[in-house]
């Protein structure tokens, strides 16, 4: 009766991964139907709740649901969370499709980035990085923040990061997203050998005109937010 009336309850506690496979498959499909109709709450979207249901034996079902709800961003984000948290490697091709799509919904693509970090090869991740750099004239700050997070500082990563920063979309409130924090974290763990290139690259951006005020504050208007990580 619970499965028929409110299947999302089975996401909320205990260990639903211990339910029989057929029950879990049925519940997952029912929850997706309810989400598609906007007839359920947000409980099943909680990461811990999804993790309790994201098991490898549901890979084929997740693939089928990806195809069924290809035009539903909420459902794609929900399924991508299952792939990311459950590390469902069999869904890699579908995740890559979203991760490489500059027109994907904002949060859906962020979850795809996380999933590729979890299940993709180093070649997959590098393809995503390079695709992001060249996809549009102005890059999305939130997406760059997601890609920078936990990326290992190497010379290749540093060159990519500086190129991305030069193309980043302007903002009046740089502390409103995680880019500033993730950039500082990247700098903190970079080796001493990389810091010279990093300082030179950030200084070049801080010098780009137009500046705030000639003589008194010759700092780039667009890139003044980089002062804090440059100081670090």
């Amino acid at each position: 009766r619970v499965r028929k009336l409110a299947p999302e309850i089975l996401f909320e506690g205990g260990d639903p991964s211990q339910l029989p496979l057929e029950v879990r498959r049925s519940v997952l499909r029912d929850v997706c139907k309810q989400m598609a109709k906007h007839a359920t709450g947000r409980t099943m979207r909680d990461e811990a709740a999804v993790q309790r249901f994201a098991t490898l034996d549901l890979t084929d079902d997740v693939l089928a649901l990806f195809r069924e709800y290809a035009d539903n961003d909420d459902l794609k984000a929900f399924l991508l969370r299952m792939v990311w948290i459950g590390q469902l490697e069999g869904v890699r091709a579908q995740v890559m499709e979203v991760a490489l799509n500059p027109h994907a919904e904002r949060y859906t693509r962020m979850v795809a980035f996380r999933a590729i970090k979890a299940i993709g090869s180093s070649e997959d991740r590098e393809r995503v990085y390079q695709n992001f750099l060249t996809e549009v004239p102005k890059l999305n700050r939130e997406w760059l923040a997601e890609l920078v997070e936990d990326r290992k500082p190497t010379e290749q990563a540093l060159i990519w990061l500086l190129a991305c920063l030069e193309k980043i979309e302007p903002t009046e409130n740089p502390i409103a997203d995680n880019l500033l924090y993730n950039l500082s974290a990247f700098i903190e763990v970079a080796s001493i050998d990389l810091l010279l290139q990093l300082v030179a690259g950030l200084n070049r951006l801080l010098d780009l005109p137009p500046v705030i005020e000639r003589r008194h504050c010759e700092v780039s208007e667009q890139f003044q937010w980089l002062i804090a990580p440059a100081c670090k």
Side-chain angles (χ1 to χ4, degrees), residues 6-229:
E8 67 272 16
I9 287 177
L10 295 179
F11 281 85
E12 293 179 2
D15 187 4
S17 67
Q18 297 302 309
L19 292 168
L21 175 59
E22 288 305 315
V23 173
R24 287 183 283 122
R25 296 175 69 179
S26 173
V27 170
L28 177 59
R29 182 165 292 278
D30 288 345
V31 166
C32 287
K33 286 180 180 178
Q34 290 194 13
M35 289 179 65
K37 296 176 182 177
H38 304 288
T40 186
R42 296 181 55 88
T43 303
M44 77 294 298
R45 304 183 189 208
D46 177 74
E47 290 175 8
V50 175
Q51 189 172 28
R52 289 194 289 270
F53 224 72
T55 51
L56 292 176
D57 55 6
L58 287 174
T59 297
D60 290 342
D61 300 274
V62 171
L63 282 168
L65 290 166
F66 253 108
R67 291 189 289 268
E68 183 174 348
Y69 296 104
D71 298 325
N72 188 315
D73 288 323
D74 284 345
L75 261 297
K76 280 198 291 189
F78 175 72
L79 295 169
L80 284 167
R81 277 192 289 271
M82 294 194 73
V83 175
W84 161 42
I85 296 172
Q87 300 192 22
L88 309 184
E89 296 182 4
V91 195
R92 184 173 62 88
Q94 288 71 21
V95 176
M96 280 293 289
E97 184 178 343
V98 179
L100 294 173
N101 181 7
H103 305 295
E105 191 274 333
R106 178 185 64 85
Y107 184 70
T108 302
R109 196 181 190 196
M110 289 174 66
V111 183
F113 288 157
R114 295 173 192 173
I116 283 299
K117 292 178 188 179
I119 67 173
S121 64
S122 57
E123 291 78 13
D124 291 333
R125 292 190 291 273
E126 190 58 36
R127 183 183 173 195
V128 170
Y129 294 141
Q130 296 306 322
N131 178 80
F132 176 76
L133 172 61
T134 59
E135 65 188 13
V136 291
K138 290 295 182 181
L139 302 179
N140 182 284
R141 294 178 62 89
E142 288 182 287
W143 286 345
L144 178 57
E146 189 62 48
L147 291 174
V148 171
E149 185 174 16
D150 298 327
R151 186 170 187 190
K152 182 179 179 181
T154 63
E155 185 170 7
Q156 183 180 16
L158 178 58
I159 293 171
W160 170 84
L161 175 57
L162 290 171
C164 287
L165 289 174
E166 189 163 359
K167 294 180 63 177
I168 202 69
E169 62 187 6
T171 179
E172 296 181 359
N173 186 14
I175 63 174
D177 54 53
N178 289 325
L179 181 56
L180 193 61
Y181 175 83
N182 291 347
L183 179 57
S184 296
F186 180 93
I187 291 170
E188 285 182 352
V189 296
S191 68
I192 197 76
D193 298 335
L194 294 176
L195 292 184
L196 181 60
Q197 296 180 60
L198 195 52
V199 167
L202 293 176
N203 271 342
R204 187 179 67 80
L205 294 176
L206 287 167
D207 282 340
L208 289 179
V211 297
I212 295 174
E213 186 180 357
R214 287 293 179 189
R215 294 182 58 189
H216 299 293
C217 190
E218 296 197 1
V219 176
S220 172
E221 287 183 359
Q222 180 179 350
F223 295 104
Q224 58 180 297
W225 63 276
L226 288 173
I227 289 178

